[in-house]
Amino acid sequence: MTVMDAEQRQKLIDALLRKAETALRNMRLVGQGGDADRVDAMAEAMAALLKEKEFPSQRATEFRETTKAIQRDAHCLCVDLRLVEAERLAHAGDEKGRNERLTKAKEHFAKAIRFGAGEDFRHGVERRVQAVLLTTRDGVDDRIGQRLPPPAGMGGGAASSMAAGTNTAA
């Protein structure tokens, strides 16, 4: 075991921090592209880097929190993308494809919640899933107004805009 002087130790810490910052930057780019599974793999590599004994503990906590936020955002984006795909397939009359996309959305939804997605996200996804399930080749089922109560303080317009696919925010 080699003993490091203060200058060598500081150089090692600086190199570890640069590597972590680069990894976060790359993770953020991949997450914005909608590849949450790859972001999860990158987060595992980040966790291993943060466990290095020379990595400063205060900065490790900061990097862990940022990594978690990037993972949450990536999974939220994946849920949104899968729901859009499911809606398009429902309009095309492809129930099997719609159900496959809904299953993938559900997997990413669980991870998004685990990484800290809020109640607004959860409620929005539940409403969108209901709308997708009521969507057919002929359009949206008339029961959509009955199944989707308007959100508090918004009146009845939100359900119809969501069902029409104009509300893409999750």
Side-chain angles (χ1 to χ4, degrees):
M1 182 165 137
T2 359
V3 177
M4 282 192 260
D5 65 10
E7 185 178 325
Q8 289 174 323
R9 182 173 169 76
Q10 189 58 47
K11 283 182 182 180
L12 178 60
I13 290 171
D14 290 343
L16 288 170
L17 289 172
R18 276 192 309 276
K19 188 173 181 178
E21 288 167 356
T22 300
L24 271 184
R25 201 172 314 114
N26 292 336
M27 194 182 312
R28 195 171 278 122
L29 288 172
V30 171
Q32 291 170 348
D35 191 352
D37 294 329
R38 189 163 160 224
V39 168
D40 287 344
M42 295 171 86
E44 288 179 26
M46 174 67 84
L49 177 65
L50 298 178
K51 287 180 183 176
E52 294 278 337
K53 86 175 186 186
E54 289 83 12
F55 205 97
S57 60
Q58 285 183 325
R59 293 297 309 270
T61 301
E62 174 187 326
F63 280 104
R64 276 187 202 92
E65 290 172 5
T66 304
T67 298
K68 183 179 173 182
I70 292 170
Q71 286 180 283
R72 181 198 61 229
D73 293 345
H75 284 287
C76 288
L77 177 60
C78 276
V79 169
D80 185 52
L81 294 172
R82 296 303 86 78
L83 289 175
V84 168
E85 291 171 2
E87 184 178 14
R88 287 187 182 138
L89 290 167
H91 277 293
D94 182 0
E95 286 188 32
K96 182 179 178 188
R98 176 200 70 184
N99 291 340
E100 288 172 359
R101 294 315 185 285
L102 287 174
T103 299
K104 288 179 184 176
K106 182 179 177 182
E107 293 168 5
H108 289 291
F109 174 76
K111 289 180 181 180
I113 296 296
R114 190 176 82 217
F115 289 120
E119 284 295 308
D120 290 343
F121 174 75
R122 186 177 68 78
H123 290 299
V125 168
E126 288 171 355
R127 291 176 57 86
R128 289 179 68 197
V129 167
Q130 288 177 354
V132 168
L133 288 171
L134 291 172
T135 301
T136 65
R137 184 184 303 246
D138 300 326
V140 179
D141 192 310
D142 291 336
R143 294 174 294 172
I144 192 134
Q146 298 167 0
R147 297 259 320 253
L148 299 175
M154 295 188 82
S160 61
S161 68
M162 187 172 300
T166 57
N167 184 2
T168 56

